[in-house]
Every structure is written in structure tokens, then in C-alpha cells.
Amino acid sequence: MTTHQAAPVGELLPLHRRRRTRIGLVSGGLGAYWPQFPDLLPQLEASAAHVVGRFESMDADVVDAGFVSDASDAARAAERLRAVDCDLIVLFVATYLTSSMVLPIAQRTGTPVLVVDLQPTARMDHAAFGTGEWLAYCGQCPIPEIGNVFRRAGVPFRSVSGWLRQESAWDRIGRWVRAADVRARLRTARHGLMGHLYPGMLDVSTDLTLLPTTFGSHVEVLEFDDLRHRVERVTDRETAERVALAREVFTVDGSVQADDLAWSARVSVGLDRLVADADLDSLAYYHRGLDGEQHERLGAGMILGASLLTARGIPTTGEYELRTTVAQLVTQVSGAGGSFCELQALDFEDGVVEMGHDGPANLAVSARDPLLRGLGVYHGKAGWGVSVEFDVQHGPVTLLGLGQDRDGSLAFIASEGEVVDGPLLQIGNTTSRVDFGRDPGEWVDEWSTTGVGHHWSLSLGHRAADYRAAAELVGVAFRQC
């Protein structure tokens, strides 16, 4: 076994990114107050500047449409934000304003809106305050009004109420920004689908129109010959460089044959070119092959390159699992990693569910230096070569699957648990022991009723609230087990 002190995976494999999330901001209050209380507007504008600054410190592009005082101002702000195509619009309600000032922003932009009211401090100085000072604290006053009007207009309503420097309120706001990150990525994503369905796995089959019509994503249909053509043009020097990279990223087990590693490296370089040429954000693949012919060899050589791509934020997974690559993209964009996963076994003595998968894995969630292990056979599949093996970091985790219902609609399906220590299989799989705080058989029964399907993404941290918010912004159902 070759061991080493590897550089951080993030340095060796920088993350792929399509574009930054675009947040639109509008602040406002009722203009009738300004001549009555001359000191009020400057105070509210200072609060608005603080809010803008907080958003600009986030990893997003912020479009500030300014401070509105009446419905005409709001209409102009709506037109500006409509033109820049935001992923989320945040309306900062600095004091009371009418719902007629808010509705055009939601209706004309066609973008999800988050209503935020953050009073200046945690409480008023009741003894010293008059009407003008109080008005700086009454941003929550119109929130029920706005909620009612949004409901009557068929506009989803969401809000965060708090005070200006309350970190728990900003944490809740941050959850919606992370959900906007998911919406931004799915709206512009290009998903590759290469090969054919794993025979008999009816749950994996996905209507390719669902992703464009649900998220706005594009599905690029590819052939294994698209990969073959590029692999044939990989040079020996490029292959050697990829082998060197693999040895930096992985511990190489003694079971790995040099020829298998070199072939996997050559396929990896060709796979990178295919992903770049097709401009992909994810790739699902499968090809059965026969008797060692070239396409079977390509399929058997995919795991190294697929794992390296997944580590760069481009989920690349087997068994033609288009929906699961989408789930992995969601968990990756949310900052939680996300590795291809299925059930493996139940340990009723320790009360845990064992889960993982052979093949491509997300190196970002590994608890240790990932291992390349040589395999003579893949379970249920033709092929041989190298596979990735590790256990997921111990601690809180969240499963996220993308289910499909009878009417064709999609759903985000989540479950929170904890990865715990214990014995693991050593067969070239990622493997984890997950404690869901209940009898493992009962958990499997409940999980299986959700419509999740055979595979899902295993991500770090308790993230169900984040995935629920993302589901709301992209317009799909959310279920938690």
C-alpha cells in the first residue's frame, strides 16, 4: 500500500462553479411619514445600508434597487429587478408600508421573495420614545398584511422577523440565501446522461422533460462513444500526470494493478474533456458491456475520474441515476458534500443502518485519506479495475433523495442521522454506519414509503431545514423521515 501526506483535496481539485447567486434587494417604508418625522427616513436608510452590507458580505452578487416610499417607486424597483433576473428578492421592511408597495415586486419579477423586518435594536426605549422613534421599530406591523395579500395573489410568502444585529435572525436569512444558491445552480445546470438504464431498475427511469420543466435545467444526452473518442486521444504524458494526481489524492492499495490504474487515469482525462466540451454540471452514466469489449472497459475505468469530478463539485455517478446526481448537486451547492448512497445492511445489535455504494464517491465527505482498491469484479456489473473506499466523517449527516411521484412531480426527501464508529466492509465501497435514533428496520420501512428510490446523496451536517427551504424556492414538495 502506498501512503503519503496528501495536499488538501480542495487545493488539488478546485470547485467548478457556473455563476454566483444573484440577490435583489429593495428597502422601503411609507412615504407619508417623511414630512411628519424628519429624522425617521435617515435612520431607516442607515438600517437599510447595514442590511445591504450584510448581504454584500455573502458569497453572492447583490443588486440594490434602493429605498422605495410609494407604489410608483416599488414598480420602478420591480422593473429593475425583473431585468437582472434574480434568484431571490429580499424586501427589507424598515417601517410600515402598504401591501400595494410590495405586491408588484413579487408579481412582475416572477422571482421568490423573502420579506425581512429587522428593527434597530432588541427593544425600544419606552420612556424616551415618541411616535417617530417608534415607527423605526414597527417593520413587523405590515407582515401579516403582506402575507394575506400574497396568499390571495397566489404568491408564496416567507419572512424573517428580528432585529438588525440579531445573529439568529441572520442565520435564518442565510438559510434562504443558501436555498437561492440551489435555485441558481439548478436553473442553469447542464446534466449529462450517458449510456443506458441499468436493466430492470424501473425507479431510476426519469422523464427527461422533468428537469427543464421543474428547475429550468438542461439534460444533454451522450453516448459512450463520445467518451471513447476523447479517451483515444489522451497521450501517455497526460495519463502519467493523472496517475501522479491520483497518488496525491488517494492512498493506493497494493491490490491495484498498474495497468488498471493507468487505464483509469486515461479514462479520467477523457472524461474531463467530455465534461468540459459538453459544459456539464453533473453526469449520470451506465453501460453494461460484454466480454471485455471497449465500452465495457470504459465503464470499468470510470470510477477514478468520476470521483475526481465529484470532488470538484460535478457529481458523476453510475447506474444512470440522473435524479440522484441532481440531489448530489443540491447537497454540494449547500456546502454539505454529498456521496452516492444506497442501503447495504442493518445492524440490529448496534441499532444502525449501514449504507454506501461501490464506485464514484465524494472525497469531500471522507473521514480519512481515501483508498483506491483493486477489484476483480463489481457486484451485479461487468468490469474490473479500481474503486474508491472510505467511511464518511463521523457526526451529523442528512440524506437527500429526489423522488418522483405518480403524477410525475418531483420531491426532495430528507432524513437526519449520525454516522457512528463500528466495523465496516472492505470491498471497495464507501460505507457508513448511520444511527437514526430508532430501530433500523423501522427506519427503513418509513424511508421506503417516501418514494425516495434506490439511491440518494449522503451529506454532512443536519441540513433538513436547508433542503426544505431549497425545495420551496424551486417549487417541489419536501418530505422528511
Side-chain angles (χ1 to χ4, degrees), residues 198-280:
Y198 186 94
M201 294 187 72
L202 301 181
D203 68 301
V204 171
S205 178
T206 301
D207 178 353
L208 301 190
T209 63
L210 273 179
L211 300 191
T213 56
T214 303
F215 305 126
S217 305
H218 171 78
V219 179
E220 185 75 3
V221 177
L222 302 165
E223 301 286 352
F224 257 75
D225 284 326
D226 294 318
L227 176 61
R228 175 190 57 77
H229 177 77
R230 289 163 175 83
V231 170
E232 289 172 349
R233 285 155 179 76
V234 175
T235 66
D236 291 343
R237 179 179 177 180
E238 290 169 326
T239 299
E241 290 172 348
R242 186 55 53 96
V243 169
L245 175 63
R247 292 188 180 278
E248 282 193 81
V249 173
F250 298 92
T251 291
V252 180
D253 186 74
S255 60
V256 174
Q257 300 296 314
D259 288 347
D260 286 344
L261 180 56
W263 174 247
S264 294
R266 190 176 293 272
V267 173
S268 174
V269 176
L271 189 57
D272 280 2
R273 288 180 181 164
L274 177 61
V275 166
D277 291 346
D279 192 22
L280 300 181

Side-chain angles (χ1 to χ4, degrees), residues 67-126:
F67 200 100
V68 302
S69 299
D70 55 33
S72 296
D73 284 350
R76 287 189 287 270
E79 185 59 25
R80 180 183 177 191
L81 295 176
R82 184 195 63 77
V84 297
D85 187 28
C86 296
D87 301 300
L88 177 69
I89 291 174
V90 178
L91 175 66
F92 172 49
V93 181
T95 185
Y96 176 76
L97 47 67
T98 64
S99 50
S100 66
M101 296 169 59
V102 176
L103 188 59
I105 295 171
Q107 287 182 315
R108 299 181 189 182
T109 61
T111 299
V113 174
L114 173 65
V115 180
V116 172
D117 68 277
L118 301 171
Q119 64 186 41
T121 62
R123 65 182 298 178
M124 292 186 293
D125 184 349
H126 297 77

Side-chain angles (χ1 to χ4, degrees), residues 363-368 390-397 419-420 432 460:
L363 309 182
V365 304
S366 177
R368 55 182 169 85
F390 62 73
D391 58 324
V392 171
Q393 295 174 31
H394 295 184
V397 292
V419 172
V420 297
S432 299
L460 301 181

Side-chain angles (χ1 to χ4, degrees), residues 36-65:
Q36 292 179 306
F37 308 101
D39 295 333
L40 178 59
L41 181 58
Q43 181 182 2
L44 300 181
E45 288 176 330
S47 293
H50 177 82
V51 170
V52 171
R54 286 293 298 252
F55 276 98
E56 288 178 340
S57 70
M58 300 177 184
D59 187 18
D61 291 330
V62 178
V63 180
D64 182 10

Side-chain angles (χ1 to χ4, degrees), residues 456-478:
W456 50 86
S457 177
L458 191 156
S459 64
L460 301 181
H462 282 165
R463 303 278 185 155
D466 284 357
Y467 301 151
R468 181 187 296 274
E472 182 176 330
L473 285 200
V474 301
V476 299
F478 178 83

